[in-house]
Structure formats: structure tokens, C-alpha cells
Amino acid sequence: MSRVDELPNDLDESLNLNPPPAPAHAPPSAPNVFPTASSDSTPFPVDASWLERKGTTPALPPHMASVRSHTADEVVQMMNRTPLFMTSLQSTEGEDGDNVELDALRALQYEGTPAEIVQGFKEQGNEAVKVKRWKDGKDYYTKGLTVLAQRRNVRSLKSPDEAGENDSIAEDEAEIGKQKELEEACYVNRALCNLELKNLRSTTLDCASALRLNPKNVKAYYRSSLALFALDKLAEASDACTRGLMIDPSNAALKGFATKIQARQTSLRAIEQKKQEREQRAQKENFMLNTALRARNIRTRNTAQPPDMEDASIHLSPDPSAPTSTLMFPVVLLYPLHLQSDFVKAFSETDTVPNHLQYIFPLPWDEKQEYTLGSVDFYMETGSGGLIRVGKKVSLGKVLGSPGLEIVDGIVRINVLLKARAAEWIEEMKSRRGR
């Protein structure tokens, strides 16, 4: 009969009393070629305030929580701080005001000789220019030029002690020559960026700097010519273009632009000639007009604030420059008893007042039909404040030549009065002047 022994109370029940037999030839464990990410590593830091708001909601996996705890704008902003996903160098600093990864990449730009550093900036600028990122390209070329300016300052120092422990003054001729070549290239390339950004004066300055380094740089002449042309400095643009063609007579771009400059100069000369002709014609017309007025003893006077007459004016017709032409006047016909008026734009000196009233009458506001050619008289004010009665058969030119009359601000004013009430109006005018 088998014996069953009772187990003691302190026996650890977790012990495996029957382990599986080990295989006779266990294969060695293979190394983990693809290491897995740590469970506590997340693409973005988890926002603690978001976790608090979650309350009793079941927790998300860490990777999902790190994304869900931020808004879409915050995620984009954090991705933009990562060099791989950056779309701009602006606003890439972290919470502490720095970006370690970006600083590490930037530090690589300044490794090597000055020529190598500038070459790196130049290549980055060229890449930006290829995709027409003109501002970024300009910034890269400027950084390269800044490095070269610093090296020039270092070379100008008299002793290594003045230069500092980390700055070597000793640079071979090949290095210095390479730096000059790069400086010239950076200036002429930055001129292109400034030209596209419409920084025209900066374009000319960069081209001038490139030409000081190499007076035979055709690109500098070409881009300088483009900027000067845009500034409408055609003489300077033509000079720059001509100098470039003296160096490279077969340059198609310069030859084409020289033709464009010449065409523009021809056009401007034609415009200037027409302007001078207009001015000369206006002077002649004004002289003939004044001569005609003096010959007819017609006086004119302008006040400090003349009315806007648009294109109505005293002129000679049909030819303003011919002494045999007829004087034409803008005339206002006033009806002071009814506070109404009519305007005749071109009243000939040979016309009488009835010549125009015959097509103006009847007046639309004259309900009683009081105004007729037989029921009205005409009066004009003199320069001294008096009145002259205008005869119905007297031409305007003869009236205006009467002593005491003058045309004020280029407008002839004629009062049209009902005969029956003319005396009443005249007395009222006298009383007003008396006061």
C-alpha cells in the first residue's frame, strides 16, 4: 500500500517540481539584430495635464498617448524642431530656447578650413536658388561672406597672440586664392537673389564688390545692368552691358539685353520729344491767345481760388496757334430773379446773346413762360462794381472790349433780366453795394 506524505505548510507552491526536460542539443540563442524600442520611449512627451483631464478613461498605449495629448498644431511645431522634418529655420527652438540636434548640425558647417566652410554655405545657397528660395539663398551667401570677412580680419593681425590660440594666421596662397574665388562667387550669386527679391540697389553693390575682385566677371556686369535698367538708369545700364560685351562679345544674354536697352532709350527719346513738342505748342498757343486778347482790348483777372472748369477755357478756334482764329469764351447766363443759370461752353466772340437764347428758351423752370427774347434785357458787371447794359445786336467780343469790363477766372457772366423787373433788381444791387 502506497504511502502519502503530507506537505509542510511553508512549502512554496510556486516551485515547479516537474520542470520540462532540456533538449539534448539546444540551439544557441540568436542575437537580436533588430532592437525594439523601449516601452517608455515616445515620439513626443506626454502632456500631463491631458492625462489629468482623462480621469477614469482607460489609458492609451504610450505612443498613442504621446500624440493624442497634443493638438495638431503642437505636433507640427514639435516635428519642425526635428532637422529631418524642418521646413524653416525659424521657430525651431525648444522650451529652453535651444535645439540640440539643430545646433549639432550647425556646428558641422564650421568644421574644416575657411574655404571649405564657405564652400558649404555656397552649395547650400545654390541648392536654395535652384528651387527659387531666393531669401534662403541670400542668407547662405551672406554667411559665407561673413566667414571670409572674419578671416581677412584675422590675417590683418600682426601676431598669433593677437589672433588668439584657436585662429591660425598662417594660410597658404592656395587657400587664400580659393577664398577670393568663393568671395567673388558669393557676391555675384547674392546679387542674383537680391535682383529676384527686387533689392535693386543691393544688387548693384554686390556686383560692384564682385567686379572689384574680378573686373572680368561677365555675370556681374549682366546682373548690374538688369538692376540699373529696372531703376530706369539706362545710361548706367548700357555702360555695364557694353563693358560685359567687351569681355565676352558673343554673350547672347548681354547682346539681347543691349538691344532691349537701346529700344528703351529710343522709346524714351520719342516720349521726351513729344513732351517737348507739346510744351512748345502750349507755349505758342498761350502766346497767341494773350496776343488776341490784347489786340481786342479784353482784360482778364484770376482770383486765388478759381472754380474748376474742367476742359472749358478761353481759346482760339479752330486753330489755337493761328492769329486768324476766333476767340471762344465759356459763358454763364444768370437769371438772378429766379436763382437759375445756364452754361455755354464755347461762346464765340462774334455771337450775340440772343443767338444762344433762341435755342435755350423756353426755360424748363419758367412755368409762366415769362422769359422770351422780347421780354428780357442783359447786363454785365464791371470791375469796379458798376453795370453795363448789353445790346441784343452787339457781339460778345465788342462788349468785352468795353472799358471797365474784365473776365474773372476765365468765365464771362451775363445777367438775363425781365424788362419789367430790371429796375427793381438794379436798385437792389446798388443798395447792396452801398451797405
Side-chain angles (χ1 to χ4, degrees):
M1 185 175 180
S2 62
R3 180 181 174 185
V4 178
D5 293 332
E6 190 174 324
L7 295 176
N9 294 331
D10 57 353
L11 180 64
D12 186 359
E13 296 181 357
S14 64
L15 293 177
N16 187 357
L17 301 179
N18 297 302
H25 300 285
S29 59
N32 188 1
V33 180
F34 305 100
T36 59
S38 173
S39 61
D40 57 353
S41 65
T42 58
F44 310 111
V46 180
D47 188 352
S49 62
W50 179 81
L51 292 175
E52 293 177 358
R53 293 194 300 270
K54 290 290 288 182
T56 58
T57 305
L60 293 172
H63 285 69
M64 293 182 64
S66 67
V67 176
R68 294 290 297 276
S69 64
H70 299 281
T71 64
D73 291 339
E74 291 173 343
V75 170
V76 171
Q77 185 178 6
M78 287 185 287
M79 290 181 67
N80 196 42
R81 298 189 191 115
T82 304
L84 181 61
F85 299 103
M86 282 181 183
T87 58
S88 171
L89 293 178
Q90 300 176 352
S91 303
T92 57
E93 289 77 10
E95 295 178 356
D96 298 330
D98 57 2
N99 189 320
V100 177
E101 294 176 342
L102 183 60
D103 291 342
L105 290 177
R106 283 172 172 166
L108 293 176
Q109 295 177 330
Y110 297 94
E111 290 186 357
T113 65
E116 291 172 345
I117 295 171
V118 177
Q119 180 68 30
F121 283 127
K122 175 177 170 289
E123 291 175 356
Q124 292 179 80
N126 292 347
E127 291 298 323
V129 167
K130 286 180 182 178
V131 293
K132 298 184 179 182
R133 288 171 30 224
W134 306 114
K135 188 178 184 307
D136 290 342
K138 174 190 170 185
D139 292 341
Y140 283 124
Y141 295 132
T142 300
K143 289 179 180 179
L145 292 170
T146 302
V147 172
L148 293 172
Q150 292 173 348
R151 295 310 302 172
R152 275 198 306 274
N153 293 336
V154 170
R155 285 197 297 271
S156 67
L157 298 176
K158 296 181 180 180
S159 67
D161 294 336
E162 296 179 45
E165 297 179 357
N166 297 325
D167 289 324
S168 174
I169 294 181
E171 291 179 342
D172 57 22
E173 293 298 327
E175 168 69 15
I176 295 176
K178 181 64 175 175
Q179 291 180 24
K180 289 184 178 180
E181 292 178 6
L182 288 168
E183 184 176 12
E184 176 190 350
C186 285
Y187 271 125
V188 78
N189 289 353
R190 191 173 71 173
L192 172 61
C193 296
N194 279 320
L195 184 63
E196 294 293 340
L197 293 170
K198 307 301 180 185
N199 300 330
L200 302 177
R201 186 173 181 276
S202 296
T203 301
T204 60
L205 293 176
D206 281 344
C207 290
S209 298
L211 290 170
R212 277 194 293 268
L213 295 167
N214 179 12
K216 295 185 177 181
N217 191 310
V218 176
K219 285 185 179 179
Y221 282 119
Y222 177 63
R223 289 167 187 172
S224 178
S225 183
L226 290 174
L228 292 167
F229 182 85
L231 291 169
D232 220 18
K233 296 182 177 181
L234 298 185
E236 293 89 337
S238 179
D239 179 70
C241 201
T242 302
R243 291 174 183 269
L245 286 171
M246 290 175 63
I247 299 169
D248 185 5
S250 61
N251 189 288
L254 282 171
K255 290 168 67 176
F257 197 65
T259 303
K260 184 176 181 179
I261 293 174
Q262 186 175 5
R264 176 63 175 163
Q265 288 176 324
T266 302
S267 175
L268 288 181
R269 281 195 294 268
I271 293 172
E272 182 63 24
Q273 184 177 356
K274 289 181 179 179
K275 179 182 177 182
Q276 292 178 358
E277 291 174 355
R278 286 196 302 270
E279 291 176 351
Q280 292 174 358
R281 186 168 57 251
Q283 291 175 357
K284 183 179 180 180
E285 291 175 359
N286 188 56
F287 173 77
M288 294 304 300
L289 177 61
N290 290 330
T291 301
L293 291 171
R294 285 196 300 270
R296 294 160 175 79
N297 199 31
I298 298 175
R299 290 162 293 279
T300 61
R301 175 172 62 88
N302 293 323
T303 61
Q305 295 181 335
D308 183 12
M309 298 295 294
E310 296 182 353
D311 58 341
S313 63
I314 303 174
H315 62 279
L316 288 167
S317 179
D319 184 1
S321 60
T324 57
S325 294
T326 303
L327 279 171
M328 310 295 288
F329 301 90
V331 175
V332 176
L333 299 173
L334 300 169
Y335 308 95
L337 297 176
H338 291 82
L339 302 178
Q340 298 289 341
S341 65
D342 283 311
F343 180 68
V344 180
K345 185 176 181 180
F347 197 122
S348 172
E349 63 176 324
T350 60
D351 290 343
T352 63
V353 178
N355 290 148
H356 292 274
L357 287 181
Q358 64 184 359
Y359 66 79
I360 295 175
F361 286 170
L363 300 171
W365 45 265
D366 182 17
E367 297 179 355
K368 297 180 181 180
Q369 301 294 309
E370 295 179 292
Y371 286 84
T372 62
L373 290 178
S375 66
V376 293
D377 282 334
F378 317 119
Y379 293 86
M380 293 181 65
E381 296 185 41
T382 65
S384 59
L387 292 172
I388 291 180
R389 185 172 179 271
V390 179
K392 293 182 179 180
K393 296 182 179 181
V394 181
S395 67
L396 180 64
K398 188 173 290 186
V399 174
L400 292 176
S402 303
L405 280 181
E406 62 180 4
I407 302 173
V408 180
D409 292 332
I411 306 173
V412 177
R413 297 169 177 83
I414 301 176
N415 295 284
V416 181
L417 299 169
L418 294 172
K419 291 181 180 180
R421 299 179 60 185
E424 173 190 345
W425 179 79
I426 293 172
E427 290 299 323
E428 183 180 349
M429 290 290 293
K430 289 181 179 179
S431 63
R432 285 181 184 175
R433 289 188 174 89
R435 287 198 293 266

